Amino acid sequence: MKVVVCIKQVPDTKGGVKFNPDGTLDRAAMMTIMNPDDKAGLEAALRLKDQYGAEVTVLTMGLPKAEDVLREAMAMGADKGVLVTDRVLGGADTWATSQTLAGALRNMEYDLIITGRQAIDGDTAQVGPQISEHLNIPVISYAQNLRIEGDSVIVERQYDDRYHVLKAKMPCLITALAELNEPRYMTPGGIFDAYKAELTVWGRADLKDVEDSNLGLKGSPTQIAKASDKVRKGAGEKVALDPAEAVDYIVDKLKVKHVI
Amino acid sequence: MNLEEYKGVFVFAQQVDNCVNSIAFELIGKGKDLAADLGTEVTAVLVGSGVKGLADELAEYGADRVIVVDDPELKEYRTEPYAHALASVIEKYKPEIFLVGATAIGRDLGPRVSARIHTGLTADCTQLDIGDFPLNPMPGKEQKHNQLLMTRPAFGGNTIATIACPDFRPQMATVRPGVMQKKDRQAGAKANVEEFNPGFTPNNNYVEILEVVKAVSETVDIMDAKILVSGGRGMGGAENFKILDDLAEVLGGTVSCSRAVVDAGWKPKDLQVGQTGKTVRPNVYFAVGISGAIQHLAGMEESDIIIAINKDETAPIFDVADYGIVGDLNKIVPALTEKLRAEMANKN
């Protein structure tokens, strides 16, 4: 069984956000981590490796420095890493990103593709389902649990007030929720091996059955009109009072505002 | 692609168990504003099995037309038949704008549909306007008018971006529930109802539903509550939420919580406020023992009045609170409940 996990190197949002003059992200200027939902997806794949001997390949698209996130995944136990990097792929929206990753996946073998539900930078949750459409395979989003049964995968798919237990024939794409599991740590031996492991690096020419007109900034149907720091409403009053005074204070405010 | 052929504002009228979700009415409400700016109409697309009877309700909330795609394959939500339904509607009717709720259904369905028909999709929008793209004239670039400008937070609410889709149609967006306003319901209003069935032939992309497990919940939807009493990690444990239940009861409010509380297993996920939970805008939001991570603020900062109680005076919740009280919630909350109970008794 072969599993490909799509992972993304994302800016650690705690470290602040920086933009290029054209409104796109200045990824080079920010601290990075492996996207949390992707890490849960990777852990799910590694459990399939533990259980069924699945071969786990991690795939990412990004700047050359995104190789760090592949090595981290390999230090956790992934077998192979593929980095797709090319200047012509930069500035991609979710359409162009999913086209790129689908183009790479057409050159790979897989029974199962796992992506995180969404990345903490874009928060779109779109790339996984879009890849599945380009590859014409079923998608199960928001997976909170999964297991293999013969040539099928059985997934608990989360909704707001319920979950569905779904069965799909592989190949299939699954998007993982962080709730899926608790990702393991890298092992010292794993780190040592990962840093001397050979990574596969692909460029535009290695993508299969993708038109240039669907790649990068030029191939992105959505365009940024404006990007800015969010303006928050300012702080109101802040008081430190003993409990009895605090109660009077709140009741007074609720009266003034006609809540009571 | 001839962009001129594409006309009208379409919204996906999400229903589950043959009940229309509130987001459908919110999208119709926003769709009416956009349609007025464009001089066009709002069409609701209703997809399911045995759902035709729901069309009147959509009309009463403002839909000018309802397209009903009714088929037994559409009884429960599944990505493939629903994507086929919407993609077929788009192919046949050619809308210029297509809005979908950013729900657990819409955020799966939207991307699959947009990928099938090759157009852009902007996720989880909190504001939609009609305007020019680029916003200001730029040398060497055509400025297009009457474009859908889609505004959304990113980076967990740290930034906000406005996005356009100038060269593809329809312009698609998923829209965050609880943000757009419904129109007042006009009893007896009628829409032009059309039935359309593109044919559903199961293939490999149809997944099998083995089981539907509904969460048992007696609580009201926190998105409908006028007063929310919300607890965070500072509550210290599940049993301590009793003091919030009491406060909520006195005020006729509802208890909600932060992500930390759900992660700790103290409260179920449907009570969670924030980026990965629900967006709420009650009249009063009590934030009790909630530090105010940016993802939490994204889900509640539009509340009319925010009252925060926290022992840590540097907690970021105080940056958005109208009234911030630095103090011990375990002493303040029960005393507040008692005082309010007395106030209410006096009033009656």
Side-chain angles (χ1 to χ4, degrees), chain A residues 11-14 16-19 25 27 30 37 93-95 98-99 117-118 120-142 147 149 154 157-172 175 178-179 213-214 218-244 246-251 253-260, chain B residues 14 16-17 76-80 103-105 107-108 111-112 114-124 133 135 141 149-150 152-168 174 204-216 227 251 259 263 269-270 275-276 278 284 286 294-295 297-298 301-307 309 313-314 318-328 331-332 335-336 339-340 343-344 347:
Chain A
D12 191 349
T13 46
K14 289 184 211 102
V17 178
K18 295 183 179 65
F19 292 101
L25 294 169
R27 292 182 185 278
M30 290 182 271
D37 283 355
D93 73 352
T94 64
W95 164 270
S98 60
Q99 285 281 354
R117 174 201 33 188
Q118 71 190 54
I120 58 168
D121 50 359
D123 292 317
T124 73
Q126 291 178 180
V127 171
Q130 287 177 328
I131 292 171
S132 73
E133 173 66 21
H134 299 317
L135 296 175
N136 192 25
I137 59 172
V139 61
I140 300 178
S141 304
Y142 290 67
R147 65 191 161 85
E149 200 179 275
I154 314 252
R157 198 284 193 203
Q158 186 189 85
Y159 292 95
D160 295 329
D161 63 343
R162 66 190 63 196
Y163 66 88
H164 287 178
V165 183
L166 300 177
K167 181 176 181 180
K169 243 183 143 73
M170 295 188 282
C172 171
T175 81
E179 288 99 306
S213 59
N214 285 323
K218 286 206 167 107
S220 296
T222 61
Q223 299 178 24
I224 296 171
K226 173 172 85 168
S228 58
D229 286 351
K230 174 140 189 182
V231 180
R232 297 197 170 273
K233 110 179 184 184
E237 305 173 14
K238 181 162 70 173
V239 295
L241 299 169
D242 70 40
V247 166
D248 289 341
Y249 171 80
I250 296 171
V251 171
K253 296 301 179 194
L254 292 176
K255 279 182 178 166
V256 170
K257 294 286 182 181
H258 305 291
V259 177
I260 55 170
Chain B
Q14 181 180 317
V16 176
D17 296 341
E76 303 279 354
Y77 174 74
R78 284 180 297 163
T79 314
E80 180 56 32
T103 61
I105 287 176
R107 297 191 76 172
D108 176 64
R112 187 93 191 193
S114 67
R116 186 160 302 181
I117 60 177
H118 190 175
T119 190
L121 174 65
T122 305
D124 203 21
F133 180 81
L135 299 179
K141 185 160 182 166
L149 301 179
M150 302 166 274
R152 66 182 304 265
F155 286 96
N158 277 298
T159 69
I160 188 143
T162 300
I163 292 170
C165 178
D167 304 324
F168 290 85
T174 61
N204 260 352
N205 289 332
Y206 280 62
V207 302
E208 188 186 342
I209 300 180
L210 301 180
E211 202 183 344
V212 173
V213 184
K214 295 181 189 179
V216 188
I227 295 179
L251 288 167
R259 178 170 181 158
D263 287 348
K269 171 118 182 121
D270 60 347
Q275 183 93 11
T276 56
K278 291 177 172 168
V284 186
F286 285 90
I294 199 147
Q295 291 83 355
L297 303 186
E301 64 187 331
E302 302 293 326
S303 305
D304 292 342
I305 304 170
I306 298 170
I307 300 175
I309 304 172
E313 63 171 315
T314 65
F318 290 125
D319 297 338
V320 299
D322 298 279
Y323 307 113
I325 297 98
V326 183
D328 181 353
K331 294 202 175 97
I332 295 171
L336 177 61
K339 173 100 183 188
L340 286 169
E343 290 279 341
M344 297 300 190
K347 223 162 113 184

Side-chain angles (χ1 to χ4, degrees), chain B residues 220 225-229 244-245 247-256:
Chain B
V220 242
K226 297 288 175 218
I227 295 179
L228 279 176
V229 180
L244 300 190
D245 292 338
L247 176 57
E249 195 199 331
V250 168
L251 288 167
T254 302
V255 169
S256 57

